[in-house]
Amino acid sequence: MALSRAQDELARRLGEDLGSATAGHMIDRLAHLPDRHDVPAAVLALLDELGERSGKAATAAVEALPELDRCAGLSFVIPWLDLGVALAESSGATALKYFKDSPLILGLIEPAEARPAVLAVGLDLAEEDVNVALEYLRTAPRILAGVPFEQLRPWLAVGIDLVQVDVVVGLEYIRQIPALAPVLPLEDVRGWLAFGLKLITPNSLGKPDYIGTMEFLRTSPAILGDLPASVRSRAIALGSQLADRAPEAGIACLGEAPALMRRLPSVEWQTRVLQYGSLIAEKDAEAALSYLRRCPEIVGLIGEELQAGPRFESWVKAGMEVLAYSIDGARAYFAVASQKALASVETALSGVPLRRVARTVKLFVEGLCGADVAITALPDSIGQAARATVSADGRTIALPAVLRRYATAEENERLYLIMAAHEAGHLEFGTYRLTLDPLRDLIDRVRRRYGRGDGSIPDTLAGVFALYPHPRLVRDLWVVLEDARVEFLLQQAYPGLRKDLAKLAEEAITPRDPSHGLTVRELIVDGLLRLSTGEKAALAVPRAVMEEVALLWNLCRRLLRTGATAEDTVRLVDDVYVRMDELLASNAKMAQAERATEEHPELGAGPAASETSEPYQPVTNWLYRGAMNPEFITRGDTERGDRQAGPDATASHGGGSKERADRLSPRGKAGERNSTTGDVLGGGRSLPPVADELLQLEVDQEPSPGISQGQRAVYYPEWDHTIQDYRIHWCRVVEREAEAGSDEAVSATLVAHASAIRSLRRYFEGLRPPAFRRLAGQVDGEELDIDAAVRRAAEQRAGHEGDDRLYVRRDKKERDVAVAFLVDASGSTNRRIDGGRRVIEIEQASLALLCEALDAVGDDYALYAYSGEGRHQVECLTIKEFDERLGSATAGRLGGLAPRQQNRDGAAIRHAGAKLLKRDAKTRILVLLSDGRPLDGDYKDEYALEDTKAALREARRAGIHPFCVTIDREGDDYLRRMYGDVQYTVIDRVEALPVRLPRIYQRLTA
């Protein structure tokens, strides 16, 4: 009876909101639930309880019952209502959201048996925080997809604790559990959250700003997923350490970690790098971040040999020692941004860096080929075999930045010399001096033979090769035979190289398996390559092509003579190509008859393999031989000059056709074909881009790329007294021609000082030495010194032996002086002095008078102005270059000189000094004309003074005589410290500068 009354009452309640039909259906469904007969009464009681807390929530629950039945069933209606009541106790609005959303959510939870358990957990959470409970329920389907149900409560317990700190952060954590659970074990979650909470920073009002933490919660799961599972917890711990000191460093660490870890060779290295990073992070966040960013490059440079770990550890410990006494020094050390840091990296290298031997290699090469040749490092990335190259103009040889082929430094250094010698041989013996003009008859024969073209001569030798049916093959023949010719001539001219060349060739040989689908042409060229280095035919040539290679090699022998030229090589290549075609054609006919009974086991398809349809795959030449480029050989000197783009164009393509160079060429980028050599000298590898810049050679400072036409940029170090070290490649000096202006100011100066100019010219003309100087009283000479002879006769008559210096010698005498004038053109030169003239105008007048004086004496001189803004944009403006004649162009540029920005004296001094050192003069002088102390943003005070002082000291050590002229009458407090090591003068009356500057110069060069 009681049950019937409960059903009737529930039907009435449901009917008010659902209608009698739907209410009746719901009652029938509830009454027939298995194992439960009191469900209608329990539902009625819970609806009554819910109505007491929130009538709207109770109505929402009733309205949601049909949807719940449709989506998930009514078997767990009691815990469903129970959770709603718990939510309504704290918030009716939350209960409304719950009843609206929960039917669909519960329907998504599988298996269905888990739904009551999910609601039970939600009920427990509601007792702690209703917001967490609701967010949990919304996320439950995705959470259960990645979290075992037995771990659900521990994961949610973390969220409950987090809500006590901040509700928004706690709810975001709940939302991210599905993304976090697959990438992070539960035991690491609290550490991960601790990291995120450290990113809470005060906003402008002093209140907590949670933006950083929210972004961390949303993005870090994906970042962790990119990290190897074995190092995730270490990466989180390190990022958390950094966040203790600087939140932005922690964020940067975690964000960059996946890419950095991928660049490390193994899990062991990843773990090692993170462990040491944690030690550095205890002291300084910026140093640790610099360390992490550099580690992949350092590890790549050090290598993966047995001793790589101890060498890396020594490098880190050296940085920790720096960190103990100088944080700034450690930051520069781990960023490899200082000279000491670079030296430490070089010590840790498992090979020999080019910079260590570049000067020796340069002298060696110049001794071989008798020309001024620059040495530079190859820009290829680490891990690839790097071949030496020659630039299009023949002025630059590029070598691997590091060689680690051998265990000892001595052997690697010797390898550098042999690689450089081979490229020097191409220069000395005329590989690229060849033009196509003497090959016209050969080109015509090739055209007729293969029915090619209209009779015009191709632009380059590569174009000639394109006339052949197999351009890759003919190019390979040229590379092999020309290298053989050059190597033979090197051995004849320099017998001391024979032993090393033979040793390298022997070690380079790695026979490749002919069964790997090689064509007959490839086997023949491979055999010729190996024979060209002196290997015995029995070992070098497969039996299947022994006869063909022997016949072709007899043809090639005529190239191995002292008189052979690069033209002879090209003509021989054509002969070998034609003879090879004849031999293969003959063999193909024989093979057609025999193919049914026999195929050669070494060749797979045998000599009858389709030689016309299968593409020829270039072979890989010996690494020490370097790369060759037929594009450098053109029709004539004029056209060749047009094509030579300078040192940036190098012989970077090896055997094989041009169109294949990037994909399959052994000197190309990737995808090398398995060849005779493979990585025969393994270790000839260049550095990553940043390390390549850091290991820039000092012997030939090349301008940096990316500069506008008419400009050049060079990087210079800068002395940092706070770390007592140079920051390498710190300042970028951009050199360009000064803008031309009106020469009226210069003309007016010359007119106004006409009398003084005449006096200066007469005076300086008097400094010009006579053609010959008469030296009397010499032991030998061209004529007798009459006065000395008379004195000797008188002394002998008086009983003395007398002086035997009785001759006059005439010695040629010249003023051997080069001087660079460096003028401060910063914004401070815009100030006016008592007479109303600006400082820059007085500097212009001084230089105009000085030019007249220097023109009279005939000294080699240049005028530069400097300014700039920031260390990456130090401007050096050329007013007059050393070899430029004084004229209207100089007057225009001098007249156009105007105040610009700031002045970074150290960089400007180093650049002017570098230009002076290129002048072949006995005396080199650098005159700095400045109106005050150096200032360029943070380049100021003690830092700027110490760097300027260091730059002047470097100039003196290099044999330059610096002299500083300043017009800052109040500079006693810093001038002695900045110019203390060099001569300087202070001109207290600026207007006197035009007169005094020429006199100062006269004293310097007297």
Side-chain angles (χ1 to χ4, degrees):
M1 183 67 69
L3 182 61
S4 177
R5 284 199 302 271
Q7 289 182 351
D8 293 342
E9 180 61 24
L10 182 59
R12 185 188 63 79
R13 290 281 304 274
L14 297 182
E16 292 177 358
D17 297 311
L18 301 177
S20 60
T22 303
H25 177 68
M26 288 292 99
I27 293 297
D28 185 58
R29 294 275 293 123
L30 291 171
H32 291 87
L33 287 175
D35 303 326
R36 293 295 301 269
H37 302 289
D38 59 343
V39 173
V43 170
L44 181 61
L46 288 170
L47 287 176
D48 288 340
E49 187 177 355
L50 186 60
E52 293 174 2
R53 288 162 175 77
S54 172
K56 291 182 179 180
T59 300
V62 171
E63 292 173 348
L65 276 173
E67 182 71 8
L68 178 67
D69 184 30
R70 186 180 64 82
C71 293
L74 297 176
S75 60
F76 48 86
V77 67
I78 301 302
W80 178 70
L81 286 170
D82 207 9
L83 177 55
V85 172
L87 295 175
E89 286 182 358
S90 297
S91 170
T94 302
L96 280 172
K97 294 177 184 177
Y98 165 75
F99 286 121
K100 180 181 179 181
D101 299 339
S102 60
L104 181 59
I105 294 171
L106 290 170
L108 296 175
I109 295 175
E110 296 292 343
E113 293 77 14
R115 293 166 186 168
V118 168
L119 291 171
V121 172
L123 186 60
D124 292 342
L125 292 176
E127 295 176 358
E128 302 287 343
D129 189 285
V130 293
N131 293 307
V132 172
L134 183 60
E135 195 60 47
Y136 150 73
L137 192 65
R138 288 171 173 169
T139 318
R142 291 188 297 120
I143 294 177
L144 290 173
V147 178
F149 186 75
E150 58 272 15
Q151 293 186 12
L152 187 59
R153 289 179 183 272
W155 277 90
L156 296 171
V158 176
I160 293 172
D161 292 343
L162 192 57
V163 168
Q164 309 307 314
V165 178
D166 184 85
V167 172
V168 176
V169 174
L171 295 180
E172 187 61 38
Y173 162 76
I174 299 292
R175 296 185 192 104
Q176 297 305 323
I177 289 178
L180 187 62
V183 298
L184 197 66
L186 180 61
E187 57 268 21
D188 292 334
V189 169
R190 292 189 181 273
W192 171 77
L193 282 171
F195 181 1
L197 293 175
K198 292 173 183 179
L199 306 180
I200 300 173
T201 56
N203 60 21
S204 57
L205 301 176
K207 295 182 179 181
D209 188 338
Y210 293 94
I211 292 178
T213 298
M214 297 294 286
E215 282 299 309
F216 171 84
L217 296 178
R218 291 166 182 164
T219 59
S220 62
I223 294 172
L224 291 173
D226 284 343
L227 281 170
S230 57
V231 298
R232 286 172 189 162
S233 60
R234 290 187 182 276
I236 291 170
L238 178 55
S240 184
Q241 270 186 291
L242 294 173
D244 281 332
R245 295 180 172 274
E248 63 278 5
I251 294 173
C253 171
L254 187 63
E256 297 175 29
L260 294 174
M261 294 298 105
R262 281 195 294 269
R263 291 169 60 193
L264 293 171
S266 65
V267 172
E268 290 75 14
W269 271 110
Q270 293 168 352
T271 302
R272 181 183 287 121
V273 164
L274 292 173
Q275 284 175 333
Y276 284 118
S278 180
L279 294 176
I280 300 169
E282 291 177 0
K283 303 292 183 180
D284 183 68
E286 187 176 333
L289 204 54
S290 296
Y291 156 84
L292 290 172
R293 288 167 174 165
R294 281 291 189 211
C295 268
E297 297 173 35
I298 301 300
V299 172
L301 291 173
I302 291 176
E304 301 178 43
E305 292 83 356
L306 186 61
Q307 294 301 313
R311 284 196 298 267
F312 178 77
E313 183 178 344
S314 298
W315 175 74
V316 175
K317 287 183 176 178
M320 293 294 291
E321 291 173 2
V322 176
L323 184 57
Y325 66 83
S326 172
I327 289 178
D328 286 337
R331 291 171 178 174
Y333 178 93
F334 287 118
V336 196
S338 71
Q339 208 166 66
K340 292 176 183 176
L342 183 57
S344 182
V345 171
E346 291 183 3
T347 301
L349 288 179
S350 62
V352 174
L354 178 59
R355 62 180 284 118
R356 187 186 302 172
V357 297
R359 195 170 299 279
T360 300
V361 172
K362 178 180 173 67
L363 295 174
F364 178 69
V365 169
E366 290 177 350
L368 290 180
C369 60
D372 184 16
V373 178
I375 302 296
T376 188
L378 285 165
D380 305 273
S381 61
I382 193 167
Q384 292 183 350
R387 293 183 176 275
T389 63
V390 178
S391 65
D393 58 7
R395 298 174 184 172
T396 303
I397 293 177
L399 297 168
V402 176
L403 280 180
R404 59 184 81 187
R405 169 65 179 85
Y406 296 104
T408 67
E410 182 180 359
E411 290 176 299
N412 285 315
E413 289 170 6
R414 189 65 181 165
L415 176 56
Y416 264 130
L417 293 178
I418 297 303
M419 295 176 78
H422 207 280
E423 302 315 298
H426 283 292
L427 299 179
E428 181 179 0
F429 301 122
T431 297
Y432 297 118
R433 288 199 299 272
L434 174 67
T435 67
L436 299 184
D437 293 336
L439 297 172
R440 288 176 180 269
D441 60 317
L442 172 65
I443 296 171
D444 289 340
R445 286 202 306 273
V446 173
R447 285 189 182 280
R448 291 194 300 271
R449 184 190 307 148
Y450 301 113
R452 307 284 189 178
D454 56 2
S456 62
I457 297 180
D459 292 332
T460 68
L461 186 59
V464 176
F465 293 162
L467 299 176
Y468 289 81
H470 294 281
R472 301 169 187 165
L473 170 61
V474 73
R475 180 172 178 156
D476 261 10
L477 290 171
W478 173 70
V479 169
V480 171
L481 296 181
E482 180 63 7
D483 271 339
R485 179 186 77 89
V486 168
E487 195 162 306
F488 173 82
L489 294 176
L490 278 173
Q491 293 182 27
Q492 298 303 307
Y494 310 104
L497 295 176
R498 292 177 183 173
K499 181 179 179 181
D500 290 303
L501 287 169
K503 177 184 177 184
L504 287 173
E506 180 182 355
E507 293 176 348
I509 294 170
T510 307
R512 59 180 178 180
D513 187 354
S515 65
H516 288 172
L518 302 177
T519 66
V520 178
R521 284 187 172 88
E522 292 165 14
L523 284 172
I524 291 174
V525 176
D526 192 68
L528 294 176
L529 169 64
R530 295 173 66 176
L531 290 176
S532 73
T533 56
E535 191 178 357
K536 293 182 179 179
L539 299 175
V541 184
R543 285 182 290 110
V545 292
M546 181 75 76
E547 182 179 352
E548 291 85 351
V549 173
L551 290 171
L552 295 174
W553 181 242
N554 283 333
L555 281 178
C556 297
R557 286 182 184 277
R558 71 179 190 232
L559 199 62
L560 305 182
R561 57 185 176 83
T562 54
T565 65
E567 180 184 343
D568 294 335
T569 301
V570 178
R571 293 184 180 276
L572 177 61
V573 165
D574 182 68
D575 293 343
V576 172
Y577 184 93
V578 171
R579 184 66 177 131
M580 186 187 301
D581 268 356
E582 293 172 351
L583 292 171
L584 294 181
S586 174
N587 289 348
K589 291 179 181 179
M590 295 174 59
Q592 287 175 358
E594 300 176 359
R595 184 180 305 169
T597 59
E598 181 181 3
E599 287 191 354
H600 201 291
E602 288 187 353
L603 291 178
S610 176
E611 296 297 324
T612 56
S613 60
E614 292 186 8
Y616 171 82
Q617 308 290 352
V619 298
T620 302
N621 203 343
W622 314 129
L623 187 63
Y624 73 86
R625 282 183 168 183
M628 292 174 59
N629 193 341
E631 296 282 354
F632 291 174
I633 298 175
T634 57
R635 283 186 291 183
D637 290 338
T638 302
E639 293 167 5
R640 182 209 204 101
D642 293 340
R643 290 180 177 275
Q644 289 178 352
D648 290 338
T650 59
S652 58
H653 302 300
S657 64
K658 179 182 178 185
E659 65 270 18
R660 190 180 174 84
D662 287 342
R663 185 165 56 92
L664 280 174
S665 169
R667 287 92 177 226
K669 295 179 180 179
E672 290 189 3
R673 179 182 174 89
N674 181 27
S675 67
T676 305
T677 57
D679 287 334
V680 291
L681 297 179
R685 301 184 290 173
S686 295
L687 308 182
V690 177
D692 189 54
E693 179 184 340
L694 293 172
L695 295 183
Q696 179 182 350
L697 308 184
E698 297 175 358
V699 291
D700 296 294
Q701 195 158 21
E702 296 290 335
S704 63
I707 301 301
S708 302
Q709 188 174 4
Q711 299 183 358
R712 63 188 296 265
V714 183
Y715 282 87
Y716 292 95
E718 188 168 272
W719 176 255
D720 185 344
H721 75 287
T722 63
I723 64 173
Q724 289 296 294
D725 198 1
Y726 284 96
R727 294 189 176 273
I728 55 176
H729 301 171
W730 194 250
C731 294
R732 176 174 172 267
V733 176
V734 179
E735 178 187 321
R736 63 178 177 84
E737 191 176 89
E739 297 175 2
S742 172
D743 61 358
E744 293 180 0
V746 176
S747 300
T749 297
L750 297 180
V751 171
H753 296 82
S755 176
I757 290 172
R758 285 194 293 272
S759 299
L760 284 171
R761 290 191 67 89
R762 284 196 300 270
Y763 183 79
F764 274 80
E765 285 170 353
L767 296 177
R768 186 191 296 268
F772 290 92
R773 179 174 57 177
R774 185 177 185 275
L775 300 177
Q778 302 298 309
V779 176
D780 55 51
E782 295 84 5
E783 60 182 88
L784 184 67
D785 185 346
I786 302 299
D787 293 337
V790 171
R791 282 196 302 273
R792 178 182 170 90
E795 289 171 352
Q796 287 180 335
R797 182 161 299 191
H800 302 291
E801 181 179 355
D803 194 340
D804 61 355
R805 292 177 291 180
L806 305 176
Y807 298 93
V808 173
R809 186 173 73 243
R810 297 185 182 276
D811 284 352
K812 188 173 182 179
K813 183 182 178 183
E814 295 178 350
R815 278 176 65 90
D816 195 7
V817 176
V819 59
F821 290 89
L822 191 58
V823 183
D824 177 4
S826 61
S828 59
T829 59
N830 196 41
R831 63 186 174 90
R832 297 184 182 275
I833 59 173
D834 296 341
R837 298 177 69 193
R838 297 183 302 165
V839 171
I840 193 73
E841 294 169 348
I842 296 175
E843 289 180 342
Q844 288 172 320
S846 305
L847 294 175
L849 268 60
L850 186 64
C851 286
E852 291 292 326
L854 294 177
D855 195 50
V857 76
D859 285 349
D860 188 21
Y861 72 99
L863 304 179
Y864 306 107
Y866 70 98
S867 182
E869 188 168 17
R871 65 185 180 92
H872 295 296
Q873 192 64 29
V874 181
E875 291 184 321
C876 181
L877 308 176
T878 302
I879 301 171
K880 178 191 174 299
E881 197 51 271
F882 278 106
D883 295 321
E884 184 182 356
R885 291 179 61 85
L886 184 65
S888 59
T890 304
R893 291 193 290 268
L894 184 57
L897 192 61
R900 298 182 67 80
Q901 295 161 319
Q902 304 189 76
N903 56 310
R904 205 175 192 101
D905 289 14
I909 291 169
R910 291 183 179 96
H911 186 65
K915 295 180 74 67
L916 258 178
L917 288 173
K918 293 180 180 178
R919 307 306 298 176
D920 185 16
K922 182 179 180 180
T923 302
R924 300 183 182 94
I925 299 173
L926 173 62
V927 178
L928 174 66
L929 180 58
S930 173
D931 74 329
R933 68 170 68 218
L935 177 64
D936 183 15
D938 55 359
Y939 184 84
K940 59 184 178 181
D941 301 333
E942 200 71 18
Y943 184 99
L945 298 182
E946 289 295 330
D947 177 58
T948 303
K949 183 178 180 179
L952 293 169
R953 188 167 55 240
E954 294 160 27
R956 285 187 62 188
R957 284 200 299 263
I960 296 172
H961 304 285
F963 187 87
C964 305
V965 179
T966 182
I967 55 179
D968 187 355
R969 290 176 289 186
E970 301 176 356
D972 287 341
D973 60 328
Y974 69 89
L975 289 176
R976 291 185 183 278
R977 286 189 292 125
M978 188 166 69
Y979 298 145
D981 293 347
V982 301
Q983 292 179 292
Y984 73 95
T985 187
V986 179
I987 298 180
D988 53 1
R989 293 178 58 249
V990 180
E991 57 273 17
L993 184 62
V995 177
R996 292 191 57 181
L997 190 56
R999 302 294 181 184
I1000 291 171
Y1001 179 74
Q1002 181 270 325
R1003 290 199 303 271
L1004 289 174
T1005 59

